[in-house]
Amino acid sequence: MRKPRVEFTISAAGPAQFPRDGLPEVAFLGRSNVGKSSLLNALAGVSNLARVSSQPGRTRLVNFFRVDDDLYLADLPGYGYAAVSHETRGEWEKLVTSYLVDRGPLALCVFLVDARHEPMEADRVLHRFLGQQGLPFVVAATKADKLKRGALAQRLRALQAAFGAGAEAVMAVSAETKQGVPELWHAVREAASQARTA
Ligand code: GTP
Ligand code: MG
C-alpha cells in the first residue's frame, strides 16, 4: 500500500479556524498523556508530526492534519490533567463539546484509554457523551507494549465491559511497537470512505 502523505494543517483555537473544505474527519480524544499525539504520529508513519508533549495538559488547541486529499485527523486537547485550573477545564469542555456536537465532517472518534489503568470518571463522561450524540467511535487501548500478553488480554476485557457499548471496536495499540496501528488505520480509512459516499 502507498504511504499516505500527512501534512499539518492548522492549530485551531476555535471553530472559526477549523478546516472548511468538507473532507471527512477522524478525531483523537482522551485524557492528557494517554498517547494521542504519539498514536497520530505512528499512524502517519513519522516521528514528530504531532508534537508529543513533555508537559501534559498544555494543548488547548485542535491540531488538524490532512491525509492526502482524503481526510483530516484532528488531535483534540486532553482532559483530566490535575494541575490545570478550574477555568482552563471549563475552556477545554467548551472547545471539545462544541467540536463533538457541531462538527459536520466528523466520521469517527478514536477514544483513547491507557491500557494499564482503570478508567477515570472523565473517561466515563466522554463515553456517555459519545453515546448520547450517536457518534461512531473505536476504543484504542494505548501503550499496549507496557503490558505482558495475559495482563493485556485481561485489561482489554475490562475495557470492553466499560466502554464496549456503542463502540465499533476495542483494540490494543502501541505507538512503540506499532501493534494495532494497521487495524486502526483501516478503521479510519473505512469511516472516511463511508462518509464520502454517504
Ligand atoms: P496531551 O497532548 O498532553 O493530551 O498528551 P497525548 O495524549 O498527546 O500523549 P503523548 O502522545 O504526548 O504521549 C504522552 C507520553 O506517553 C509520552 O512520553 C510518550 O512517549 C508516551 N507514549 C505514548 N504512546 C506510547 C506507547 O504506545 N508506548 C509507550 N511505551 N509510551 C507511549
Ligand atoms: Mg498531544
Side-chain angles (χ1 to χ4, degrees):
M1 200 176 67
R2 187 177 55 87
K3 199 176 166 201
R5 181 183 169 86
V6 184
E7 280 181 331
F8 170 73
T9 305
I10 192 171
S11 284
Q17 295 175 311
F18 295 169
R20 288 159 187 252
D21 49 17
L23 290 181
E25 196 162 293
V26 176
F28 287 66
L29 295 154
R31 67 178 300 182
S32 180
N33 211 44
V34 73
K36 294 178 294 299
S37 301
S38 301
L39 186 58
L40 224 136
N41 286 327
L43 276 175
V46 296
S47 60
N48 59 354
L49 183 72
R51 205 164 57 93
V52 174
S53 57
S54 47
Q55 284 175 292
R58 281 199 48 190
T59 330
R60 308 267 174 277
L61 302 164
V62 185
N63 293 308
F64 290 90
F65 303 87
R66 206 183 67 214
V67 180
D68 296 320
D69 290 322
D70 295 340
L71 62 111
Y72 285 104
L73 303 174
D75 188 7
L76 275 289
Y79 50 82
Y81 185 60
V84 304
S85 68
H86 192 69
E87 197 181 325
T88 307
R89 221 167 284 174
E91 281 168 34
W92 178 90
E93 252 177 50
K94 238 169 49 194
L95 178 62
V96 176
T97 306
S98 70
Y99 174 88
L100 290 174
V101 170
D102 279 342
R103 189 64 179 149
L106 186 54
L108 182 69
C109 294
V110 180
F111 171 30
L112 290 81
V113 287
D114 195 309
R116 296 167 299 170
H117 305 316
E118 279 302 307
M120 58 190 287
E121 180 55 24
D123 295 319
R124 299 186 194 281
V125 170
L126 176 59
H127 177 249
R128 274 197 298 275
F129 191 75
L130 294 173
Q132 283 159 7
Q133 297 297 318
L135 291 165
F137 66 97
V138 296
V139 180
T142 63
K143 312 190 188 184
D145 57 282
K146 295 202 177 187
L147 288 173
K148 294 214 170 80
R149 189 193 295 252
L152 178 60
Q154 195 178 353
R155 289 299 310 148
L156 281 173
R157 281 195 297 274
L159 287 170
Q160 177 72 46
F163 299 132
E168 292 183 2
V170 178
M171 49 179 89
V173 297
S174 166
E176 287 285 317
T177 65
K178 317 295 183 230
Q179 174 182 355
V181 169
E183 290 82 356
L184 181 60
W185 193 233
H186 181 76
V188 165
R189 286 284 193 189
E190 195 63 29
S193 79
Q194 276 181 22
R196 269 193 300 276
T197 57

